[in-house]
PDB file of all heavy atoms in Angstrom:
ATOM      1  N   ILE A   1      75.128 -84.682  57.848  1.00  0.00           N
ATOM      2  CA  ILE A   1      74.382 -84.973  59.073  1.00  0.00           C
ATOM      3  C   ILE A   1      75.347 -85.455  60.138  1.00  0.00           C
ATOM      4  O   ILE A   1      76.155 -86.362  59.909  1.00  0.00           O
ATOM      5  CB  ILE A   1      73.294 -86.038  58.848  1.00  0.00           C
ATOM      6  CG1 ILE A   1      72.255 -85.544  57.836  1.00  0.00           C
ATOM      7  CG2 ILE A   1      72.602 -86.386  60.159  1.00  0.00           C
ATOM      8  CD1 ILE A   1      71.123 -86.525  57.582  1.00  0.00           C
ATOM      9  N   ASN A   2      75.258 -84.841  61.293  1.00  0.00           N
ATOM     10  CA  ASN A   2      75.998 -85.287  62.470  1.00  0.00           C
ATOM     11  C   ASN A   2      75.029 -86.039  63.365  1.00  0.00           C
ATOM     12  O   ASN A   2      73.914 -85.575  63.613  1.00  0.00           O
ATOM     13  CB  ASN A   2      76.600 -84.089  63.205  1.00  0.00           C
ATOM     14  CG  ASN A   2      77.327 -84.489  64.473  1.00  0.00           C
ATOM     15  OD1 ASN A   2      76.726 -84.584  65.542  1.00  0.00           O
ATOM     16  ND2 ASN A   2      78.618 -84.722  64.367  1.00  0.00           N
ATOM     17  N   GLN A   3      75.452 -87.190  63.875  1.00  0.00           N
ATOM     18  CA  GLN A   3      74.553 -88.051  64.634  1.00  0.00           C
ATOM     19  C   GLN A   3      74.003 -87.359  65.876  1.00  0.00           C
ATOM     20  O   GLN A   3      72.885 -87.625  66.308  1.00  0.00           O
ATOM     21  CB  GLN A   3      75.284 -89.341  65.021  1.00  0.00           C
ATOM     22  CG  GLN A   3      74.382 -90.414  65.600  1.00  0.00           C
ATOM     23  CD  GLN A   3      75.088 -91.750  65.711  1.00  0.00           C
ATOM     24  OE1 GLN A   3      76.254 -91.889  65.334  1.00  0.00           O
ATOM     25  NE2 GLN A   3      74.400 -92.756  66.230  1.00  0.00           N
ATOM     26  N   ARG A   4      74.765 -86.438  66.450  1.00  0.00           N
ATOM     27  CA  ARG A   4      74.335 -85.762  67.678  1.00  0.00           C
ATOM     28  C   ARG A   4      73.611 -84.447  67.384  1.00  0.00           C
ATOM     29  O   ARG A   4      72.610 -84.127  68.023  1.00  0.00           O
ATOM     30  CB  ARG A   4      75.560 -85.479  68.568  1.00  0.00           C
ATOM     31  CG  ARG A   4      75.249 -84.691  69.834  1.00  0.00           C
ATOM     32  CD  ARG A   4      76.497 -84.538  70.689  1.00  0.00           C
ATOM     33  NE  ARG A   4      77.565 -83.845  70.013  1.00  0.00           N
ATOM     34  CZ  ARG A   4      77.686 -82.516  69.975  1.00  0.00           C
ATOM     35  NH1 ARG A   4      76.784 -81.742  70.565  1.00  0.00           N
ATOM     36  NH2 ARG A   4      78.716 -81.954  69.369  1.00  0.00           N
ATOM     37  N   VAL A   5      74.081 -83.688  66.401  1.00  0.00           N
ATOM     38  CA  VAL A   5      73.579 -82.341  66.170  1.00  0.00           C
ATOM     39  C   VAL A   5      72.529 -82.287  65.067  1.00  0.00           C
ATOM     40  O   VAL A   5      71.690 -81.393  65.038  1.00  0.00           O
ATOM     41  CB  VAL A   5      74.747 -81.385  65.844  1.00  0.00           C
ATOM     42  CG1 VAL A   5      74.264 -79.969  65.633  1.00  0.00           C
ATOM     43  CG2 VAL A   5      75.775 -81.419  66.963  1.00  0.00           C
ATOM     44  N   GLY A   6      72.533 -83.257  64.152  1.00  0.00           N
ATOM     45  CA  GLY A   6      71.630 -83.211  63.015  1.00  0.00           C
ATOM     46  C   GLY A   6      72.277 -82.506  61.836  1.00  0.00           C
ATOM     47  O   GLY A   6      73.506 -82.536  61.676  1.00  0.00           O
ATOM     48  N   SER A   7      71.452 -81.836  61.006  1.00  0.00           N
ATOM     49  CA  SER A   7      71.991 -81.233  59.780  1.00  0.00           C
ATOM     50  C   SER A   7      71.857 -79.722  59.714  1.00  0.00           C
ATOM     51  O   SER A   7      72.250 -79.104  58.716  1.00  0.00           O
ATOM     52  CB  SER A   7      71.298 -81.835  58.544  1.00  0.00           C
ATOM     53  OG  SER A   7      69.935 -81.458  58.485  1.00  0.00           O
ATOM     54  N   TRP A   8      71.319 -79.096  60.771  1.00  0.00           N
ATOM     55  CA  TRP A   8      71.214 -77.628  60.754  1.00  0.00           C
ATOM     56  C   TRP A   8      72.589 -77.042  61.082  1.00  0.00           C
ATOM     57  O   TRP A   8      72.828 -76.547  62.176  1.00  0.00           O
ATOM     58  CB  TRP A   8      70.179 -77.144  61.768  1.00  0.00           C
ATOM     59  CG  TRP A   8      68.822 -77.755  61.623  1.00  0.00           C
ATOM     60  CD1 TRP A   8      68.225 -78.635  62.470  1.00  0.00           C
ATOM     61  CD2 TRP A   8      67.859 -77.508  60.592  1.00  0.00           C
ATOM     62  NE1 TRP A   8      66.966 -78.960  62.034  1.00  0.00           N
ATOM     63  CE2 TRP A   8      66.709 -78.273  60.878  1.00  0.00           C
ATOM     64  CE3 TRP A   8      67.859 -76.701  59.450  1.00  0.00           C
ATOM     65  CZ2 TRP A   8      65.575 -78.272  60.073  1.00  0.00           C
ATOM     66  CZ3 TRP A   8      66.725 -76.703  58.639  1.00  0.00           C
ATOM     67  CH2 TRP A   8      65.612 -77.473  58.951  1.00  0.00           C
ATOM     68  N   LEU A   9      73.501 -77.093  60.127  1.00  0.00           N
ATOM     69  CA  LEU A   9      74.891 -76.740  60.390  1.00  0.00           C
ATOM     70  C   LEU A   9      75.434 -75.771  59.347  1.00  0.00           C
ATOM     71  O   LEU A   9      75.266 -75.973  58.136  1.00  0.00           O
ATOM     72  CB  LEU A   9      75.769 -78.001  60.387  1.00  0.00           C
ATOM     73  CG  LEU A   9      75.527 -79.015  61.507  1.00  0.00           C
ATOM     74  CD1 LEU A   9      76.279 -80.310  61.213  1.00  0.00           C
ATOM     75  CD2 LEU A   9      75.942 -78.438  62.856  1.00  0.00           C
ATOM     76  N   PHE A  10      76.089 -74.719  59.835  1.00  0.00           N
ATOM     77  CA  PHE A  10      76.914 -73.864  58.994  1.00  0.00           C
ATOM     78  C   PHE A  10      78.340 -74.398  59.070  1.00  0.00           C
ATOM     79  O   PHE A  10      78.824 -74.754  60.152  1.00  0.00           O
ATOM     80  CB  PHE A  10      76.916 -72.419  59.491  1.00  0.00           C
ATOM     81  CG  PHE A  10      75.617 -71.689  59.279  1.00  0.00           C
ATOM     82  CD1 PHE A  10      75.046 -70.968  60.312  1.00  0.00           C
ATOM     83  CD2 PHE A  10      74.987 -71.689  58.045  1.00  0.00           C
ATOM     84  CE1 PHE A  10      73.864 -70.275  60.126  1.00  0.00           C
ATOM     85  CE2 PHE A  10      73.808 -70.996  57.846  1.00  0.00           C
ATOM     86  CZ  PHE A  10      73.239 -70.295  58.892  1.00  0.00           C
ATOM     87  N   LEU A  11      79.024 -74.405  57.919  1.00  0.00           N
ATOM     88  CA  LEU A  11      80.392 -74.925  57.864  1.00  0.00           C
ATOM     89  C   LEU A  11      81.372 -73.832  57.450  1.00  0.00           C
ATOM     90  O   LEU A  11      81.078 -73.014  56.585  1.00  0.00           O
ATOM     91  CB  LEU A  11      80.485 -76.087  56.868  1.00  0.00           C
ATOM     92  CG  LEU A  11      79.617 -77.311  57.147  1.00  0.00           C
ATOM     93  CD1 LEU A  11      79.752 -78.309  56.002  1.00  0.00           C
ATOM     94  CD2 LEU A  11      80.010 -77.961  58.472  1.00  0.00           C
ATOM     95  N   GLY A  12      82.530 -73.845  58.078  1.00  0.00           N
ATOM     96  CA  GLY A  12      83.627 -72.974  57.694  1.00  0.00           C
ATOM     97  C   GLY A  12      84.909 -73.785  57.692  1.00  0.00           C
ATOM     98  O   GLY A  12      85.020 -74.772  58.431  1.00  0.00           O
ATOM     99  N   VAL A  13      85.877 -73.404  56.873  1.00  0.00           N
ATOM    100  CA  VAL A  13      87.114 -74.171  56.788  1.00  0.00           C
ATOM    101  C   VAL A  13      88.321 -73.250  56.877  1.00  0.00           C
ATOM    102  O   VAL A  13      88.254 -72.064  56.556  1.00  0.00           O
ATOM    103  CB  VAL A  13      87.201 -74.985  55.469  1.00  0.00           C
ATOM    104  CG1 VAL A  13      86.034 -75.957  55.364  1.00  0.00           C
ATOM    105  CG2 VAL A  13      87.260 -74.076  54.257  1.00  0.00           C
ATOM    106  N   ILE A  14      89.406 -73.835  57.338  1.00  0.00           N
ATOM    107  CA  ILE A  14      90.718 -73.189  57.307  1.00  0.00           C
ATOM    108  C   ILE A  14      91.655 -74.100  56.538  1.00  0.00           C
ATOM    109  O   ILE A  14      91.818 -75.279  56.894  1.00  0.00           O
ATOM    110  CB  ILE A  14      91.274 -72.940  58.725  1.00  0.00           C
ATOM    111  CG1 ILE A  14      90.380 -71.965  59.500  1.00  0.00           C
ATOM    112  CG2 ILE A  14      92.706 -72.410  58.651  1.00  0.00           C
ATOM    113  CD1 ILE A  14      90.772 -71.818  60.962  1.00  0.00           C
ATOM    114  N   LEU A  15      92.237 -73.573  55.474  1.00  0.00           N
ATOM    115  CA  LEU A  15      93.262 -74.311  54.733  1.00  0.00           C
ATOM    116  C   LEU A  15      94.619 -73.881  55.267  1.00  0.00           C
ATOM    117  O   LEU A  15      94.888 -72.694  55.422  1.00  0.00           O
ATOM    118  CB  LEU A  15      93.172 -74.004  53.235  1.00  0.00           C
ATOM    119  CG  LEU A  15      91.813 -74.217  52.556  1.00  0.00           C
ATOM    120  CD1 LEU A  15      91.930 -73.904  51.067  1.00  0.00           C
ATOM    121  CD2 LEU A  15      91.314 -75.625  52.774  1.00  0.00           C
ATOM    122  N   THR A  16      95.481 -74.852  55.544  1.00  0.00           N
ATOM    123  CA  THR A  16      96.788 -74.516  56.129  1.00  0.00           C
ATOM    124  C   THR A  16      97.861 -75.483  55.639  1.00  0.00           C
ATOM    125  O   THR A  16      97.561 -76.632  55.273  1.00  0.00           O
ATOM    126  CB  THR A  16      96.725 -74.547  57.669  1.00  0.00           C
ATOM    127  OG1 THR A  16      98.012 -74.225  58.201  1.00  0.00           O
ATOM    128  CG2 THR A  16      96.280 -75.901  58.188  1.00  0.00           C
ATOM    129  N   ASP A  17      99.100 -74.984  55.630  1.00  0.00           N
ATOM    130  CA  ASP A  17     100.217 -75.868  55.272  1.00  0.00           C
ATOM    131  C   ASP A  17     100.794 -76.581  56.490  1.00  0.00           C
ATOM    132  O   ASP A  17     101.768 -77.333  56.368  1.00  0.00           O
ATOM    133  CB  ASP A  17     101.314 -75.095  54.527  1.00  0.00           C
ATOM    134  CG  ASP A  17     101.848 -73.902  55.302  1.00  0.00           C
ATOM    135  OD1 ASP A  17     101.449 -73.718  56.472  1.00  0.00           O
ATOM    136  OD2 ASP A  17     102.666 -73.145  54.741  1.00  0.00           O
ATOM    137  N   LEU A  18     100.208 -76.352  57.655  1.00  0.00           N
ATOM    138  CA  LEU A  18     100.569 -77.166  58.817  1.00  0.00           C
ATOM    139  C   LEU A  18      99.981 -78.558  58.648  1.00  0.00           C
ATOM    140  O   LEU A  18      98.840 -78.711  58.207  1.00  0.00           O
ATOM    141  CB  LEU A  18     100.029 -76.536  60.104  1.00  0.00           C
ATOM    142  CG  LEU A  18     100.642 -75.214  60.546  1.00  0.00           C
ATOM    143  CD1 LEU A  18      99.894 -74.657  61.752  1.00  0.00           C
ATOM    144  CD2 LEU A  18     102.126 -75.382  60.866  1.00  0.00           C
ATOM    145  N   GLU A  19     100.738 -79.558  59.013  1.00  0.00           N
ATOM    146  CA  GLU A  19     100.254 -80.935  58.870  1.00  0.00           C
ATOM    147  C   GLU A  19      99.799 -81.453  60.235  1.00  0.00           C
ATOM    148  O   GLU A  19     100.601 -81.876  61.057  1.00  0.00           O
ATOM    149  CB  GLU A  19     101.334 -81.845  58.293  1.00  0.00           C
ATOM    150  CG  GLU A  19     100.808 -83.236  57.953  1.00  0.00           C
ATOM    151  CD  GLU A  19     101.831 -84.085  57.221  1.00  0.00           C
ATOM    152  OE1 GLU A  19     103.011 -83.679  57.159  1.00  0.00           O
ATOM    153  OE2 GLU A  19     101.459 -85.159  56.727  1.00  0.00           O
ATOM    154  N   PHE A  20      98.500 -81.367  60.465  1.00  0.00           N
ATOM    155  CA  PHE A  20      97.922 -81.874  61.707  1.00  0.00           C
ATOM    156  C   PHE A  20      97.613 -83.358  61.577  1.00  0.00           C
ATOM    157  O   PHE A  20      97.351 -83.860  60.481  1.00  0.00           O
ATOM    158  CB  PHE A  20      96.616 -81.144  62.031  1.00  0.00           C
ATOM    159  CG  PHE A  20      96.784 -79.717  62.469  1.00  0.00           C
ATOM    160  CD1 PHE A  20      96.755 -78.682  61.557  1.00  0.00           C
ATOM    161  CD2 PHE A  20      96.970 -79.404  63.814  1.00  0.00           C
ATOM    162  CE1 PHE A  20      96.887 -77.361  61.955  1.00  0.00           C
ATOM    163  CE2 PHE A  20      97.111 -78.088  64.223  1.00  0.00           C
ATOM    164  CZ  PHE A  20      97.072 -77.063  63.294  1.00  0.00           C
ATOM    165  N   ALA A  21      97.612 -84.032  62.705  1.00  0.00           N
ATOM    166  CA  ALA A  21      97.104 -85.396  62.713  1.00  0.00           C
ATOM    167  C   ALA A  21      95.611 -85.333  62.400  1.00  0.00           C
ATOM    168  O   ALA A  21      94.874 -84.568  63.016  1.00  0.00           O
ATOM    169  CB  ALA A  21      97.326 -86.041  64.078  1.00  0.00           C
ATOM    170  N   PRO A  22      95.128 -86.120  61.427  1.00  0.00           N
ATOM    171  CA  PRO A  22      93.701 -86.080  61.089  1.00  0.00           C
ATOM    172  C   PRO A  22      92.839 -86.502  62.285  1.00  0.00           C
ATOM    173  O   PRO A  22      93.277 -87.273  63.145  1.00  0.00           O
ATOM    174  CB  PRO A  22      93.580 -87.097  59.950  1.00  0.00           C
ATOM    175  CG  PRO A  22      94.959 -87.237  59.397  1.00  0.00           C
ATOM    176  CD  PRO A  22      95.879 -87.044  60.567  1.00  0.00           C
ATOM    177  N   SER A  23      91.638 -85.974  62.328  1.00  0.00           N
ATOM    178  CA  SER A  23      90.723 -86.347  63.407  1.00  0.00           C
ATOM    179  C   SER A  23      90.353 -87.822  63.345  1.00  0.00           C
ATOM    180  O   SER A  23      90.103 -88.456  64.371  1.00  0.00           O
ATOM    181  CB  SER A  23      89.452 -85.491  63.332  1.00  0.00           C
ATOM    182  OG  SER A  23      89.750 -84.133  63.537  1.00  0.00           O
ATOM    183  N   LEU A  24      90.293 -88.369  62.130  1.00  0.00           N
ATOM    184  CA  LEU A  24      90.001 -89.785  61.965  1.00  0.00           C
ATOM    185  C   LEU A  24      91.297 -90.568  61.927  1.00  0.00           C
ATOM    186  O   LEU A  24      92.223 -90.225  61.181  1.00  0.00           O
ATOM    187  CB  LEU A  24      89.220 -90.017  60.673  1.00  0.00           C
ATOM    188  CG  LEU A  24      87.836 -89.366  60.585  1.00  0.00           C
ATOM    189  CD1 LEU A  24      87.237 -89.616  59.210  1.00  0.00           C
ATOM    190  CD2 LEU A  24      86.923 -89.913  61.675  1.00  0.00           C
ATOM    191  N   ALA A  25      91.358 -91.615  62.718  1.00  0.00           N
ATOM    192  CA  ALA A  25      92.567 -92.437  62.742  1.00  0.00           C
ATOM    193  C   ALA A  25      92.855 -93.016  61.362  1.00  0.00           C
ATOM    194  O   ALA A  25      93.999 -93.114  60.930  1.00  0.00           O
ATOM    195  CB  ALA A  25      92.416 -93.557  63.771  1.00  0.00           C
ATOM    196  N   ASP A  26      91.782 -93.383  60.659  1.00  0.00           N
ATOM    197  CA  ASP A  26      91.918 -93.887  59.292  1.00  0.00           C
ATOM    198  C   ASP A  26      91.226 -92.894  58.372  1.00  0.00           C
ATOM    199  O   ASP A  26      89.999 -92.893  58.237  1.00  0.00           O
ATOM    200  CB  ASP A  26      91.278 -95.274  59.171  1.00  0.00           C
ATOM    201  CG  ASP A  26      91.477 -95.876  57.781  1.00  0.00           C
ATOM    202  OD1 ASP A  26      92.059 -95.188  56.913  1.00  0.00           O
ATOM    203  OD2 ASP A  26      91.046 -97.026  57.562  1.00  0.00           O
ATOM    204  N   ALA A  27      92.016 -92.016  57.762  1.00  0.00           N
ATOM    205  CA  ALA A  27      91.444 -90.961  56.927  1.00  0.00           C
ATOM    206  C   ALA A  27      90.707 -91.522  55.726  1.00  0.00           C
ATOM    207  O   ALA A  27      89.862 -90.847  55.132  1.00  0.00           O
ATOM    208  CB  ALA A  27      92.548 -90.015  56.458  1.00  0.00           C
ATOM    209  N   ALA A  28      90.994 -92.759  55.364  1.00  0.00           N
ATOM    210  CA  ALA A  28      90.331 -93.372  54.214  1.00  0.00           C
ATOM    211  C   ALA A  28      88.996 -93.991  54.590  1.00  0.00           C
ATOM    212  O   ALA A  28      88.290 -94.528  53.733  1.00  0.00           O
ATOM    213  CB  ALA A  28      91.244 -94.435  53.595  1.00  0.00           C
ATOM    214  N   ALA A  29      88.641 -93.939  55.869  1.00  0.00           N
ATOM    215  CA  ALA A  29      87.395 -94.565  56.324  1.00  0.00           C
ATOM    216  C   ALA A  29      86.574 -93.558  57.116  1.00  0.00           C
ATOM    217  O   ALA A  29      86.496 -93.624  58.345  1.00  0.00           O
ATOM    218  CB  ALA A  29      87.697 -95.804  57.169  1.00  0.00           C
ATOM    219  N   PRO A  30      85.953 -92.591  56.432  1.00  0.00           N
ATOM    220  CA  PRO A  30      85.123 -91.589  57.126  1.00  0.00           C
ATOM    221  C   PRO A  30      83.865 -92.234  57.699  1.00  0.00           C
ATOM    222  O   PRO A  30      83.566 -93.399  57.411  1.00  0.00           O
ATOM    223  CB  PRO A  30      84.781 -90.593  56.013  1.00  0.00           C
ATOM    224  CG  PRO A  30      84.876 -91.391  54.748  1.00  0.00           C
ATOM    225  CD  PRO A  30      85.958 -92.385  54.978  1.00  0.00           C
ATOM    226  N   PRO A  31      83.106 -91.498  58.513  1.00  0.00           N
ATOM    227  CA  PRO A  31      81.912 -92.079  59.137  1.00  0.00           C
ATOM    228  C   PRO A  31      80.960 -92.665  58.098  1.00  0.00           C
ATOM    229  O   PRO A  31      80.723 -92.074  57.045  1.00  0.00           O
ATOM    230  CB  PRO A  31      81.266 -90.882  59.844  1.00  0.00           C
ATOM    231  CG  PRO A  31      82.393 -89.921  60.061  1.00  0.00           C
ATOM    232  CD  PRO A  31      83.311 -90.098  58.903  1.00  0.00           C
ATOM    233  N   ARG A  32      80.446 -93.840  58.382  1.00  0.00           N
ATOM    234  CA  ARG A  32      79.512 -94.466  57.452  1.00  0.00           C
ATOM    235  C   ARG A  32      78.157 -93.764  57.540  1.00  0.00           C
ATOM    236  O   ARG A  32      77.776 -93.216  58.566  1.00  0.00           O
ATOM    237  CB  ARG A  32      79.350 -95.956  57.779  1.00  0.00           C
ATOM    238  CG  ARG A  32      78.692 -96.256  59.108  1.00  0.00           C
ATOM    239  CD  ARG A  32      78.661 -97.750  59.372  1.00  0.00           C
ATOM    240  NE  ARG A  32      77.971 -98.062  60.630  1.00  0.00           N
ATOM    241  CZ  ARG A  32      76.662 -98.271  60.726  1.00  0.00           C
ATOM    242  NH1 ARG A  32      75.916 -98.211  59.624  1.00  0.00           N
ATOM    243  NH2 ARG A  32      76.102 -98.540  61.876  1.00  0.00           N
ATOM    244  N   GLY A  33      77.454 -93.780  56.432  1.00  0.00           N
ATOM    245  CA  GLY A  33      76.150 -93.153  56.393  1.00  0.00           C
ATOM    246  C   GLY A  33      75.136 -93.908  57.232  1.00  0.00           C
ATOM    247  O   GLY A  33      75.164 -95.142  57.306  1.00  0.00           O
ATOM    248  N   LEU A  34      74.257 -93.168  57.871  1.00  0.00           N
ATOM    249  CA  LEU A  34      73.240 -93.778  58.724  1.00  0.00           C
ATOM    250  C   LEU A  34      71.832 -93.442  58.234  1.00  0.00           C
ATOM    251  O   LEU A  34      70.889 -93.401  59.021  1.00  0.00           O
ATOM    252  CB  LEU A  34      73.426 -93.311  60.174  1.00  0.00           C
ATOM    253  CG  LEU A  34      74.744 -93.721  60.852  1.00  0.00           C
ATOM    254  CD1 LEU A  34      74.832 -93.123  62.252  1.00  0.00           C
ATOM    255  CD2 LEU A  34      74.854 -95.248  60.921  1.00  0.00           C
ATOM    256  N   CYS A  35      71.689 -93.214  56.935  1.00  0.00           N
ATOM    257  CA  CYS A  35      70.355 -92.979  56.380  1.00  0.00           C
ATOM    258  C   CYS A  35      69.564 -94.280  56.264  1.00  0.00           C
ATOM    259  O   CYS A  35      68.326 -94.251  56.264  1.00  0.00           O
ATOM    260  CB  CYS A  35      70.460 -92.329  54.998  1.00  0.00           C
ATOM    261  SG  CYS A  35      71.071 -90.631  55.025  1.00  0.00           S
ATOM    262  N   GLY A  36      70.284 -95.366  56.133  1.00  0.00           N
ATOM    263  CA  GLY A  36      69.615 -96.655  56.006  1.00  0.00           C
ATOM    264  C   GLY A  36      68.699 -96.696  54.794  1.00  0.00           C
ATOM    265  O   GLY A  36      69.053 -96.229  53.711  1.00  0.00           O
ATOM    266  N   THR A  37      67.490 -97.254  54.980  1.00  0.00           N
ATOM    267  CA  THR A  37      66.533 -97.351  53.882  1.00  0.00           C
ATOM    268  C   THR A  37      65.614 -96.134  53.807  1.00  0.00           C
ATOM    269  O   THR A  37      64.727 -96.076  52.960  1.00  0.00           O
ATOM    270  CB  THR A  37      65.676 -98.621  54.036  1.00  0.00           C
ATOM    271  OG1 THR A  37      64.969 -98.552  55.288  1.00  0.00           O
ATOM    272  CG2 THR A  37      66.540 -99.872  54.011  1.00  0.00           C
ATOM    273  N   CYS A  38      65.798 -95.162  54.687  1.00  0.00           N
ATOM    274  CA  CYS A  38      64.930 -93.983  54.739  1.00  0.00           C
ATOM    275  C   CYS A  38      65.062 -93.149  53.462  1.00  0.00           C
ATOM    276  O   CYS A  38      66.172 -92.890  52.993  1.00  0.00           O
ATOM    277  CB  CYS A  38      65.287 -93.128  55.946  1.00  0.00           C
ATOM    278  SG  CYS A  38      64.281 -91.627  56.102  1.00  0.00           S
ATOM    279  N   THR A  39      63.927 -92.747  52.915  1.00  0.00           N
ATOM    280  CA  THR A  39      63.911 -91.866  51.738  1.00  0.00           C
ATOM    281  C   THR A  39      62.959 -90.688  51.956  1.00  0.00           C
ATOM    282  O   THR A  39      62.426 -90.124  50.997  1.00  0.00           O
ATOM    283  CB  THR A  39      63.485 -92.642  50.479  1.00  0.00           C
ATOM    284  OG1 THR A  39      62.174 -93.207  50.699  1.00  0.00           O
ATOM    285  CG2 THR A  39      64.475 -93.737  50.141  1.00  0.00           C
ATOM    286  N   ARG A  40      62.746 -90.310  53.203  1.00  0.00           N
ATOM    287  CA  ARG A  40      61.767 -89.253  53.484  1.00  0.00           C
ATOM    288  C   ARG A  40      62.127 -87.948  52.803  1.00  0.00           C
ATOM    289  O   ARG A  40      61.251 -87.217  52.334  1.00  0.00           O
ATOM    290  CB  ARG A  40      61.646 -89.057  54.997  1.00  0.00           C
ATOM    291  CG  ARG A  40      61.053 -90.257  55.709  1.00  0.00           C
ATOM    292  CD  ARG A  40      60.819 -89.987  57.174  1.00  0.00           C
ATOM    293  NE  ARG A  40      60.405 -91.208  57.857  1.00  0.00           N
ATOM    294  CZ  ARG A  40      60.037 -91.274  59.126  1.00  0.00           C
ATOM    295  NH1 ARG A  40      60.048 -90.167  59.856  1.00  0.00           N
ATOM    296  NH2 ARG A  40      59.671 -92.415  59.672  1.00  0.00           N
ATOM    297  N   CYS A  41      63.405 -87.606  52.763  1.00  0.00           N
ATOM    298  CA  CYS A  41      63.812 -86.352  52.128  1.00  0.00           C
ATOM    299  C   CYS A  41      63.487 -86.371  50.643  1.00  0.00           C
ATOM    300  O   CYS A  41      62.996 -85.376  50.081  1.00  0.00           O
ATOM    301  CB  CYS A  41      65.294 -86.096  52.364  1.00  0.00           C
ATOM    302  SG  CYS A  41      66.394 -87.424  51.814  1.00  0.00           S
TER     303      CYS A  41
END
């Protein structure tokens, strides 16, 4: 789930041996979940 777009998402990936700077400044701390106490699904 993306906070802005939601979950209707197709994903594609590119694997490469180029070493890019990660999008997250701290790669060990990805976005925290925002489901909270919701269990509707």
Side-chain angles (χ1 to χ4, degrees):
I1 298 181
N2 177 272
Q3 190 169 359
R4 176 176 60 85
V5 181
S7 68
W8 305 110
L9 294 169
F10 289 132
L11 300 175
V13 300
I14 297 173
L15 306 182
T16 180
D17 56 5
L18 292 174
E19 188 173 11
F20 289 91
S23 297
L24 297 176
D26 184 357
R32 66 184 183 89
L34 297 177
C35 291
T37 60
C38 179
T39 59
R40 294 186 187 185
C41 56

